[in-house]
Amino acid sequence: MNQTIVNILMIVIIALIVFLTIRFVLQMAFLRECPNCGKTVSLAVKRECPKCGYVFLKNRHAKLNLTIALLIMAIGLFVFLDIYLFRKQTSDYLAANPYLWKGEVVTSTESTEMPAETGVMALPEVPADQIN
């Protein structure tokens, strides 16, 4: 996917999350309309309708459940796109730079054994014809 399209998608998802969160808070905190009688009730004062006795906290609407489900789906999609883009960009970077160390173990044909220490440092032998 093009990076611009993904960025626009993420911005739209974040805006949707913010909108739904603000809407949810405002609906739960302030004014509600009673579904039985139509009277507007302030939830800051009472949790039930003074006219018909409808209890708002016991009777949740499908709209609220839909809002919560959309919010969870949007967060899940955002996390999935973030992980997908990170993995794709990492694999593209490693493919473009083949000489980077990727964690493979390199086997060597040389001996890894060290000579035993004798306490005296050995000097390399120089042939006699190369001495001045």
Side-chain angles (χ1 to χ4, degrees):
M1 287 166 89
N2 191 358
Q3 184 70 26
T4 307
I5 294 172
V6 173
N7 286 341
I8 291 172
L9 248 170
M10 286 185 183
I11 289 171
V12 168
I13 289 171
I14 291 172
L16 180 67
I17 291 170
V18 169
F19 170 74
L20 290 175
T21 305
I22 290 172
R23 184 170 183 247
F24 175 73
V25 168
L26 289 177
Q27 281 183 343
M28 293 304 293
F30 298 113
L31 298 176
R32 298 285 301 268
E33 186 175 321
C34 179
N36 291 339
C37 63
K39 182 175 179 165
T40 303
V41 179
S42 172
L43 294 182
V45 177
K46 280 184 132 182
R47 299 290 186 213
E48 64 183 49
C49 179
K51 187 174 182 182
C52 67
Y54 179 81
V55 179
F56 287 96
L57 294 180
K58 290 183 182 176
N59 303 307
R60 292 190 171 215
H61 298 288
K63 229 181 191 184
L64 175 64
N65 294 337
L66 179 66
T67 303
I68 292 171
L70 285 175
L71 183 66
I72 291 171
M73 286 177 20
I75 291 171
L77 182 63
F78 179 77
V79 169
F80 171 76
L81 286 176
D82 190 40
I83 292 171
Y84 171 76
L85 281 177
F86 176 76
R87 287 186 176 173
K88 185 175 182 315
Q89 288 176 351
T90 302
S91 63
D92 290 346
Y93 180 76
L94 290 175
N97 299 299
Y99 298 109
L100 289 177
W101 180 69
K102 296 178 189 172
E104 309 96 25
V105 176
V106 179
T107 59
S108 176
T109 57
E110 297 178 18
S111 173
T112 57
E113 294 180 15
M114 298 294 291
E117 285 189 35
T118 59
V120 179
M121 187 171 165
L123 296 175
E125 292 185 28
V126 180
D129 59 342
Q130 290 184 358
I131 299 178
N132 297 5

